[in-house]
Amino acid sequence: GNDYVVYRNWASDRAYLINDGEGLMHEDHCNSDIRGSRLTNNKGNSYLSIYKCGTIDGLLIEGNDISTPGDIADIYVVADRNSGRQPCRNVTIIGNTTRSNGIHISGEPASGNVIHDNKHLGGQGAIRNMAGAKVTNNQGYTIVQE
């Protein structure tokens, strides 16, 4: 239920931005998993990111309204780590509104993943499905199976 605005910060010499401008994020590269988690009813100007977190088993992303200024999905769920593919199971992405780039899900082995009843506003969004999700009844998206 967060309503957030993200501002990217400048380096002291103002030559470049020093962060990626993440919205709500869980990032890990070596020693945590996502189990039975929820990201619900958030509204923000930067992406929801579950990034390189290892096993995902039980994640609900519902009722969010997200846009992002960068070239990354508004809802970004990636179990895979730098060391290789990681399991992605029982992820439900339902009833969200995206406004920039769409939805990305990745992980393997994968089972029980669902992307349903989401809506993309403004231009064409994409659902990048790299986790065998069942994709149904979404509006304004091109489906990319990888």
Side-chain angles (χ1 to χ4, degrees), residues 110-127:
S111 63
N113 301 319
V114 175
I115 302 173
H116 180 71
D117 274 340
N118 300 286
K119 178 173 39 174
H120 186 80
L121 301 177
Q124 187 68 29
I127 294 176

Side-chain angles (χ1 to χ4, degrees), residues 4 20-24 46-49 66-68 72-74 76:
Y4 62 91
D20 295 331
E22 290 92 353
L24 300 179
S46 197
Y47 57 102
L48 300 179
S49 179
I66 306 296
S67 64
T68 185
I72 191 167
D74 303 288
Y76 192 73

Side-chain angles (χ1 to χ4, degrees), residues 5-12 16-23 25 27 46-47 69-70:
V5 177
V6 174
Y7 298 94
R8 294 184 69 191
N9 297 309
W10 287 99
S12 61
Y16 59 93
L17 294 165
I18 59 173
N19 67 350
D20 295 331
E22 290 92 353
M25 180 178 202
E27 179 176 4
S46 197
Y47 57 102

Side-chain angles (χ1 to χ4, degrees), residues 3 23-24 26-27 37-38 80 104 109-110 122 125-126 133 143:
D3 188 348
L24 300 179
H26 170 82
E27 179 176 4
S37 295
R38 301 177 339 145
D80 303 328
H104 179 109
I143 310 302

Side-chain angles (χ1 to χ4, degrees), residues 1-139:
N2 298 288
D3 188 348
Y4 62 91
V5 177
V6 174
Y7 298 94
R8 294 184 69 191
N9 297 309
W10 287 99
S12 61
D13 62 4
R14 299 197 58 80
Y16 59 93
L17 294 165
I18 59 173
N19 67 350
D20 295 331
E22 290 92 353
L24 300 179
M25 180 178 202
H26 170 82
E27 179 176 4
D28 175 69
H29 295 275
C30 64
N31 66 357
S32 72
D33 295 334
I34 300 289
R35 301 195 188 259
S37 295
R38 301 177 339 145
L39 281 169
T40 60
N41 302 316
N42 299 289
K43 182 174 184 176
N45 71 329
S46 197
Y47 57 102
L48 300 179
S49 179
I50 304 299
Y51 184 61
K52 295 186 180 183
C53 58
T55 298
I56 299 173
D57 193 352
L59 173 62
L60 172 65
I61 300 176
E62 181 177 18
N64 301 286
D65 186 336
I66 306 296
S67 64
T68 185
D71 188 24
I72 191 167
D74 303 288
I75 298 173
Y76 192 73
V77 177
V78 177
D80 303 328
R81 292 185 172 139
N82 292 345
S83 60
R85 305 294 312 263
Q86 296 291 316
C88 184
R89 299 185 291 264
N90 305 313
V91 174
T92 300
I93 302 172
I94 186 169
N96 299 284
T97 300
T98 60
R99 297 174 183 274
S100 303
N101 300 306
I103 299 168
H104 179 109
I105 184 171
S106 180
E108 188 178 284
S111 63
N113 301 319
V114 175
I115 302 173
H116 180 71
D117 274 340
N118 300 286
K119 178 173 39 174
H120 186 80
L121 301 177
Q124 187 68 29
I127 294 176
R128 300 185 75 78
N129 184 5
M130 300 169 62
K134 182 179 179 185
V135 179
T136 58
N137 201 39
N138 299 285
Q139 299 172 17

